[in-house]
Each structure stands twice: as C-alpha cells, then as structure tokens.
C-alpha cells in the first residue's frame, strides 16, 4: 500500500512537472517499454476504440493499437448508417477490415453497436412503414451483423443508450416503431445469431447511484428474470474531472451489477477537460484516470477497460462539446500524455 502511495506521489509530482511542460510526460517511459496490455492483470482486458481511416492509413496509430491494447472496438464501422448507407446497399468493408486487422494482430473485438438511436440513415427514419416492415429491417440488421462475425466477435454492445437520465425509456426510432420490447428482442436475436457471444447493454452516466442507473439495473434484472441472454453492462464513462463520481459511488454501482452476476465493462473511457487546459485540469484528469483504472483493477467483475479514441486528434469530444477536449491518453501527435502514466499506474498488476 505504501509503495502504491509512493508511486502515486511520484507520478503526481512528475505529472505536475510535465503539465508545466518542465518534463515531457514520456519521461516516465523507459526504453524497454511494455504496453498497457503487458502490465495489466492477466484476468483483465485493456481495449481501445479505433477509427477505421486512422487504423488503415496511419502506421504510428496502428502500431500503438497493436502494442498497447488487446482489444479493439469499431468506433463507427459497425453502426447502422455505415453498414446500410441506402435501403438496398449493405457495406461491410470497414467492418471486415477491422475484423481482419484484429485477427492478424491477435486482438479481440468488441462489436459496437447494432441497436442505437443515433447514426441511423435518413432512408430508414424518413419513410413511413408498418410495424412488421420495421421489425423485418430490425431483425435482419441484428442477425446479419452478428452472425457475419460469429467466429470473430464474442462480445457485443447489443443495445446502446436506451434509457434517459430520469430513468425513462428513451424515445427513439426503434422504441416508437417497435415498442419497449425492442430491447429484449435485440438480445434474443443477438443470441440466436451467435450463441457464443457475451451480450451487453451499454450506456453513459450510470457510474453513480441515481434514476438512470436504477433503471438500467431494473432493466437488466427484468431481462435476467425472464431468461433473456444478457451477460454484462457496459459503463461508457465519458467523464469530466469537475463532475467525477466519487470512488465510493462507482464501487456501489459496480457492486450492484456484480450482485446480478453480470460482467462489468468500462467501454468508452475518456476524461474531457476545458480548453485551454490548465495545470490544475491536467492534474485532475490524471487523478481521475488513476482512480477509474484502479477501481476496475480491484473489481473482480470489471473484466475490460476500454478507452474511447486513442488520441486527442480523433476524439469525438471537440466536435460534440465546444470548449472541451484533450480527453485521451495520447495527444494529437500520438505522443503519450501524463494521463497514460496515471492510467497505467492504476492498472498495473500488483
Ligand atoms: O461519415 C461522415 C462523413 O461522410 C462526413 O464527411 C463527416 C463530416 O460531417 O461526418 C462523418 O460522420 C461522422 C461520424 O462520427 C463518422 O466519423 C459524424 O459526423 C459524427 O457525428 C460521428 O461521431 C461519432 C459519434 O459517436 C456519433 O454520435 C463519433 O465518431 C463516435 O466516437 C461516437 O461514439 C459514441 C459511441 O458510439 C456510443 N457512446 C457515445 C459515443 C460518443 O457519442
């Protein structure tokens, strides 16, 4: 324990110095650098979401993905709008590329995400259809995608973000067309398409007790009660140092999900800070990365920690939240940031 505190203090001091650009954050890097996947406990997985074009065209990016992580998640390549650009055209090229990249580099893949309210193409949402017609599109999409990769992908975010912050069901194209059973049906179809796959419900802002977490907990409990195949909950964890859940709150919700016998995946960790970032912002971001990674390491059912976007250059944050950014552990030039060192200090196996 004392060693941990000493390590943390050392990292904190270095981070403070590197944040003041006195020391490059890579100062901590020694020449025989091992990747995050090499230092993490063998029972945990450290993953990264990947941008198809960067992975395909940027050697530094793809080498970092291979050397640091043991799992990849397609950031957009397996979303409805990418796979079905028109009602008659299916395009799996990006998804196929990522699956072969994973296979060729001994990486596992998290399938993301068959059913979501966003990134649905206009042709789907703009046309009036009967419930049966929409049901046919829904069924075909889930079964076609998951069975296509039944020998390559064994973990899926089957349904993403179906609950509102007040705990109500989110109004969406799928809910409006098919009713609340679309969630249960998606899991049934996913299991039919690949009985070997672990099926997750994935959402954000559920990392502390509250109406949204309670609704996700209730959804999962009800699905389990009627024997619907659900195996875990994805905690996205798109966080902000100013609004961090307390460690005790994260542990509380993790424990409740564990009590259901479900796995916990941190699926989309990034920690956005206001720009231009102050030394204080960077220090708080570092400490947040350390806390989340340490909690995952010490939570038996937290089997995966996935970062969302490798670098500040490809992060979704700046284009979605004005004035926020620098959320990743690599900067826009793919240099390690002090956040990397704090993440790894929380993950390192004892
Ligand atoms: O593909 C078009 C391209 O043709 C066009 O030229 C370009 C400029 O408009 O936009 C491209 O689409 C963008 C798409 O990413 C693919 O790059 C969309 O504008 C952009 O909004 C979309 O952002 C994605 C976002 O989901 C959409 O909500 C992010 O990359 C992606 O990281 C993010 O990921 C989600 C997870 O899937 C679920 N959890 C939340 C997370 C953040 O929203």
């Amino acid at each position: 324990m004392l060693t941990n505190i000493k390590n943390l203090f050392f990292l904190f001091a270095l981070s403070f110095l590197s944040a003041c650009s006195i020391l490059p954050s890579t100062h901590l890097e020694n020449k025989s650098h091992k990747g995050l996947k090499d230092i993490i406990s063998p029972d945990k997985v450290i993953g990264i979401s990947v941008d198809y074009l960067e992975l395909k065209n940027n050697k530094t990016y793809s080498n970092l993905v291979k050397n640091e992580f043991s799992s990849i998640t397609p950031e957009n390549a397996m979303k409805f709008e990418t796979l079905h650009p028109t009602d008659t055209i299916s395009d799996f090229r990006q998804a196929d590329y990522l699956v072969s990249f994973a296979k060729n580099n001994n990486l596992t893949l998290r399938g993301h995400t068959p059913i979501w309210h966003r990134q649905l193409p206009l042709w789907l949402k703009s046309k009036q259809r009967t419930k049966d017609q929409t049901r046919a599109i829904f069924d075909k999409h889930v079964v076609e995608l998951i069975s296509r990769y039944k020998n390559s992908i064994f973990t899926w975010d089957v349904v993403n973000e179906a609950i509102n912050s007040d705990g109500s069901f989110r109004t969406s194209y799928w809910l409006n067309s098919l009713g609340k059973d679309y969630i249960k049906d998606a899991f049934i179809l996913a299991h039919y398409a690949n009985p070997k796959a672990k099926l997750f419900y994935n959402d954000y802002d559920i990392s502390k007790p509250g109406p949204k977490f309670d609704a996700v907990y209730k959804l999962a409990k009800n699905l389990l009660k009627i024997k619907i195949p659900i195996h875990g909950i994805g905690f996205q964890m798109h966080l902000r140092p100013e609004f961090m859940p307390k460690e005790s709150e994260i542990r509380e919700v993790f424990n409740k999900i564990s009590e259901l016998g479900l796995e916990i995946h941190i699926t989309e960790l990034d920690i956005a800070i206001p720009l231009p970032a102050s030394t204080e912002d960077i220090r708080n971001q570092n400490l947040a990365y350390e806390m989340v990674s340490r909690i995952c390491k010490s939570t038996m059912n937290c089997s995966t920690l996935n970062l969302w976007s490798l670098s500040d250059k490809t992060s979704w944050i700046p284009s979605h939240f004005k004035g926020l950014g620098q959320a990743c552990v690599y900067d826009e030039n793919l240099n390690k940031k002090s956040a990397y060192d704090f993440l790894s200090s929380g993950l390192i196996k004892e």
Side-chain angles (χ1 to χ4, degrees), residues 191-253:
H191 183 68
Y192 164 76
N194 184 356
K196 293 189 195 127
K198 284 183 180 176
L199 308 179
F200 281 70
Y201 172 80
N202 190 46
D203 216 327
Y204 62 89
D205 285 356
I206 54 173
S207 308
K208 63 180 181 184
K212 183 165 184 178
F213 170 78
D214 293 345
V216 170
Y217 177 84
K218 188 178 164 200
L219 170 69
K221 194 172 182 180
N222 289 345
L223 290 173
L224 288 166
K225 196 170 159 195
I226 57 174
K227 308 287 182 229
I228 299 297
I230 177 170
H231 307 97
I233 299 296
F235 290 75
Q236 290 183 12
M237 289 199 162
H238 293 293
L239 301 173
R240 299 268 306 279
E242 313 93 290
F243 308 112
M244 279 300 283
K246 295 188 188 79
E247 177 164 347
S248 58
E249 290 175 320
I250 299 174
R251 290 185 184 281
E252 182 179 341
V253 296

Side-chain angles (χ1 to χ4, degrees), residues 75-76 79 112 118-119 160-161 236 268 308 316:
E75 199 157 329
N76 292 294
K79 288 175 177 172
H112 176 88
R118 295 182 68 174
Q119 292 181 269
N160 193 44
E161 303 174 17
Q236 290 183 12
E268 305 181 17
W308 203 253
W316 68 292

Side-chain angles (χ1 to χ4, degrees), residues 281-293:
D281 294 325
I282 293 170
R283 187 174 62 183
N284 292 334
Q285 178 187 52
N286 289 338
L287 294 175
Y289 264 111
E290 192 279 336
M291 180 178 87
V292 171
S293 57

